Protein backbone atom coordinates (compact mmCIF):
# COMPACT_ATOMS: atom_id res chain seq x y z
CA UNK A 1 0.00 0.00 0.00
CA UNK A 2 2.91 2.34 0.57
CA UNK A 3 3.75 2.12 -3.12
CA UNK A 4 0.18 3.04 -4.07
CA UNK A 5 0.17 6.03 -1.70
CA UNK A 6 3.33 7.44 -3.32
CA UNK A 7 2.10 6.74 -6.85
CA UNK A 8 0.46 10.13 -7.41
CA UNK A 9 0.70 10.37 -11.20
CA UNK A 10 -0.88 6.98 -11.94
CA UNK A 11 -2.83 7.11 -15.19
CA UNK A 12 -6.56 6.22 -15.02
CA UNK A 13 -6.17 2.94 -16.97
CA UNK A 14 -3.52 1.68 -14.56
CA UNK A 15 -5.58 2.79 -11.56
CA UNK A 16 -8.64 0.90 -12.83
CA UNK A 17 -6.59 -2.23 -13.48
CA UNK A 18 -5.01 -2.17 -10.04
CA UNK A 19 -8.43 -1.75 -8.42
CA UNK A 20 -9.75 -4.62 -10.58
CA UNK A 21 -6.90 -6.94 -9.54
CA UNK A 22 -7.16 -6.01 -5.86
CA UNK A 23 -10.89 -6.80 -6.00
CA UNK A 24 -10.11 -10.12 -7.69
CA UNK A 25 -7.59 -10.91 -4.95
CA UNK A 26 -10.10 -10.20 -2.20
CA UNK A 27 -13.38 -11.44 -3.73
CA UNK A 28 -13.53 -14.99 -5.11
CA UNK A 29 -16.96 -14.37 -6.68
CA UNK A 30 -15.69 -11.37 -8.68
CA UNK A 31 -12.54 -13.33 -9.58
CA UNK A 32 -14.66 -16.22 -10.93
CA UNK A 33 -16.99 -13.83 -12.76
CA UNK A 34 -14.22 -11.89 -14.51
CA UNK A 35 -11.94 -14.84 -15.22
CA UNK A 36 -14.48 -17.53 -16.01
CA UNK A 37 -17.91 -16.19 -16.88
CA UNK A 38 -16.71 -13.23 -18.95
CA UNK A 39 -14.01 -15.26 -20.67
CA UNK A 40 -16.47 -18.05 -21.51
CA UNK A 41 -19.27 -15.75 -22.66
CA UNK A 42 -17.23 -13.74 -25.20
CA UNK A 43 -20.48 -12.16 -26.42
CA UNK A 44 -22.80 -9.53 -25.02
CA UNK A 45 -23.27 -9.87 -21.27
CA UNK A 46 -26.94 -9.88 -20.30
CA UNK A 47 -28.11 -9.48 -16.71
CA UNK A 48 -30.22 -12.64 -17.06
CA UNK A 49 -27.18 -14.67 -18.17
CA UNK A 50 -25.24 -13.53 -15.09
CA UNK A 51 -28.23 -14.47 -12.91
CA UNK A 52 -28.31 -17.96 -14.49
CA UNK A 53 -24.53 -18.34 -13.98
CA UNK A 54 -24.91 -17.41 -10.30
CA UNK A 55 -27.90 -19.73 -9.84
CA UNK A 56 -26.02 -22.62 -11.45
CA UNK A 57 -22.94 -22.06 -9.31
CA UNK A 58 -22.11 -19.91 -6.33
CA UNK A 59 -25.63 -18.51 -5.78
CA UNK A 60 -27.57 -21.77 -5.74
CA UNK A 61 -28.90 -21.19 -2.23
CA UNK A 62 -29.56 -17.46 -2.51
CA UNK A 63 -32.95 -15.86 -2.87
CA UNK A 64 -33.80 -14.53 -6.34
CA UNK A 65 -33.56 -10.89 -5.21
CA UNK A 66 -30.08 -11.53 -3.78
CA UNK A 67 -28.93 -13.24 -6.97
CA UNK A 68 -30.24 -10.38 -9.10
CA UNK A 69 -28.52 -7.79 -6.88
CA UNK A 70 -25.20 -9.67 -7.00
CA UNK A 71 -25.47 -9.99 -10.79
CA UNK A 72 -26.00 -6.24 -11.13
CA UNK A 73 -23.07 -5.52 -8.79
CA UNK A 74 -20.71 -7.87 -10.64
CA UNK A 75 -21.55 -6.23 -13.96
CA UNK A 76 -21.20 -2.77 -12.43
CA UNK A 77 -17.75 -3.56 -10.99
CA UNK A 78 -16.57 -5.05 -14.27
CA UNK A 79 -17.81 -1.96 -16.14
CA UNK A 80 -16.03 0.35 -13.70
CA UNK A 81 -12.83 -1.67 -14.20
CA UNK A 82 -13.09 -1.35 -17.99
CA UNK A 83 -13.77 -5.07 -18.58
CA UNK A 84 -17.25 -4.32 -19.96
CA UNK A 85 -18.42 -1.49 -22.19
CA UNK A 86 -21.84 0.02 -22.59
CA UNK A 87 -24.04 1.74 -20.05
CA UNK A 88 -27.44 0.29 -20.93
CA UNK A 89 -28.58 -3.14 -21.94
CA UNK A 90 -26.14 -5.93 -22.65
CA UNK A 91 -22.53 -5.04 -22.00
CA UNK A 92 -19.73 -5.95 -24.38
CA UNK A 93 -16.57 -7.71 -23.22
CA UNK A 94 -13.54 -5.48 -23.56
CA UNK A 95 -9.97 -6.35 -22.70
CA UNK A 96 -8.31 -3.10 -21.68
CA UNK A 97 -4.81 -2.24 -22.79
CA UNK A 98 -2.47 -3.18 -19.93
CA UNK A 99 0.45 -0.77 -19.49
CA UNK A 100 3.79 -2.39 -18.64
CA UNK A 101 3.82 -0.74 -15.22
CA UNK A 102 0.40 -2.24 -14.39
CA UNK A 103 1.57 -5.69 -15.47
CA UNK A 104 4.76 -5.32 -13.44
CA UNK A 105 2.72 -4.27 -10.41
CA UNK A 106 0.43 -7.31 -10.73
CA UNK A 107 3.36 -9.69 -11.10
CA UNK A 108 4.99 -8.08 -8.07
CA UNK A 109 1.75 -8.48 -6.05
CA UNK A 110 1.33 -12.11 -7.11
CA UNK A 111 4.85 -13.11 -6.16
CA UNK A 112 3.69 -14.48 -2.79
CA UNK A 113 0.15 -15.48 -3.78
CA UNK A 114 -0.68 -19.09 -4.50
CA UNK A 115 -2.78 -18.79 -7.64
CA UNK A 116 -5.24 -21.08 -9.37
CA UNK A 117 -3.70 -22.13 -12.64
CA UNK A 118 -0.26 -21.29 -13.93
CA UNK A 119 1.67 -18.19 -14.88
CA UNK A 120 0.28 -18.40 -18.41
CA UNK A 121 -3.29 -19.27 -17.40
CA UNK A 122 -4.60 -17.75 -14.21
CA UNK A 123 -7.63 -15.63 -13.31
CA UNK A 124 -5.73 -12.35 -12.88
CA UNK A 125 -3.97 -12.25 -16.24
CA UNK A 126 -6.76 -14.07 -18.11
CA UNK A 127 -9.31 -11.47 -17.02
CA UNK A 128 -7.48 -8.84 -19.11
CA UNK A 129 -6.71 -11.12 -22.04
CA UNK A 130 -3.08 -11.83 -21.14
CA UNK A 131 -2.60 -15.52 -21.94
CA UNK A 132 -0.50 -17.72 -24.18
CA UNK A 133 1.84 -16.20 -26.74
CA UNK A 134 0.60 -12.66 -26.06
CA UNK A 135 1.53 -13.00 -22.39
CA UNK A 136 4.94 -14.45 -23.33
CA UNK A 137 5.57 -11.42 -25.53
CA UNK A 138 4.62 -9.03 -22.71
CA UNK A 139 6.79 -10.85 -20.16
CA UNK A 140 9.78 -10.71 -22.53
CA UNK A 141 9.20 -6.98 -22.96
CA UNK A 142 9.42 -6.61 -19.20
CA UNK A 143 12.71 -8.54 -19.24
CA UNK A 144 11.09 -11.61 -17.75
CA UNK A 145 12.55 -14.38 -19.95
CA UNK A 146 12.71 -16.73 -16.97
CA UNK A 147 8.90 -16.72 -16.66
CA UNK A 148 8.49 -17.28 -20.39
CA UNK A 149 10.90 -20.22 -20.35
CA UNK A 150 9.07 -21.76 -17.38
CA UNK A 151 5.76 -21.53 -19.22
CA UNK A 152 2.82 -23.18 -17.55
CA UNK A 153 4.72 -25.75 -15.52
CA UNK A 154 4.61 -24.00 -12.16
CA UNK A 155 1.75 -23.03 -9.86
CA UNK A 156 2.44 -19.58 -8.55
CA UNK A 157 4.34 -16.59 -9.72
CA UNK A 158 6.86 -16.26 -6.94
CA UNK A 159 9.61 -18.19 -8.74
CA UNK A 160 9.15 -16.44 -12.07
CA UNK A 161 9.09 -12.74 -11.45
CA UNK A 162 12.42 -11.11 -10.83
CA UNK A 163 11.60 -8.67 -8.03
CA UNK A 164 14.13 -6.22 -9.42
CA UNK A 165 12.23 -5.88 -12.71
CA UNK A 166 8.84 -5.24 -11.11
CA UNK A 167 10.21 -3.10 -8.30
CA UNK A 168 12.26 -0.89 -10.64
CA UNK A 169 9.30 -0.39 -12.97
CA UNK A 170 6.96 0.48 -10.11
CA UNK A 171 9.51 2.65 -8.29
CA UNK A 172 10.12 4.62 -11.50
CA UNK A 173 6.40 5.44 -11.78
CA UNK A 174 5.72 5.94 -8.07
CA UNK A 175 7.89 9.02 -7.66
Amino acid sequence: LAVLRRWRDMDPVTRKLLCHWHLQLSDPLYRAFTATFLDDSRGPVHHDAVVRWLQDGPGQRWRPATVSRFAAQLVSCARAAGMLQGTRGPAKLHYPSVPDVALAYLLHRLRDVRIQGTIDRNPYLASVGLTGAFLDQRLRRLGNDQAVAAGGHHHGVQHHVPDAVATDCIRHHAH
Side-chain angles (χ1 to χ4, degrees):
L1 290 177
V3 168
L4 293 176
R5 278 190 213 104
R6 289 192 315 262
W7 200 342
R8 303 214 189 282
D9 63 343
M10 185 186 312
D11 67 276
V13 171
T14 298
R15 186 175 312 278
K16 284 182 180 183
L17 286 166
L18 271 53
C19 289
H20 162 71
W21 288 321
H22 277 272
L23 185 54
Q24 278 190 313
L25 284 163
S26 64
D27 185 341
L29 182 60
Y30 180 73
R31 182 171 52 244
F33 174 71
T34 55
T36 305
F37 176 81
L38 290 181
D39 195 47
D40 290 347
S41 72
R42 296 282 181 180
V45 176
H46 296 268
H47 177 80
D48 293 344
V50 180
V51 167
R52 281 191 302 278
W53 175 75
L54 286 168
Q55 289 171 332
D56 291 344
Q60 290 177 346
R61 296 183 183 170
W62 300 342
R63 292 186 172 159
T66 302
V67 173
S68 182
R69 190 169 47 251
F70 268 92
Q73 290 170 347
L74 289 168
V75 169
S76 177
C77 287
R79 275 188 170 127
M83 306 291 116
L84 295 174
Q85 292 183 325
T87 56
R88 293 188 179 260
K92 294 184 178 165
L93 179 63
H94 171 75
Y95 290 128
S97 176
V98 179
D100 287 345
V101 67
L103 178 57
Y105 177 84
L106 175 64
L107 295 173
H108 183 73
R109 275 295 285 131
L110 293 178
R111 73 190 184 284
D112 296 323
V113 173
R114 183 130 179 101
I115 59 172
Q116 284 181 311
T118 60
I119 184 72
D120 64 340
R121 189 72 183 155
N122 68 73
Y124 309 100
L125 295 168
S127 71
V128 293
L130 291 176
T131 59
F134 185 58
L135 175 60
D136 290 350
Q137 176 187 30
R138 294 297 305 277
L139 291 173
R140 278 192 182 94
R141 195 163 81 195
L142 283 179
N144 205 340
D145 291 326
Q146 184 181 4
V148 174
H153 302 295
H154 301 279
H155 297 278
V157 180
Q158 61 270 25
H159 301 295
H160 306 296
V161 181
D163 273 345
V165 172
T167 305
D168 287 351
C169 190
I170 292 164
R171 194 174 290 136
H172 170 74
H173 284 81
H175 293 298

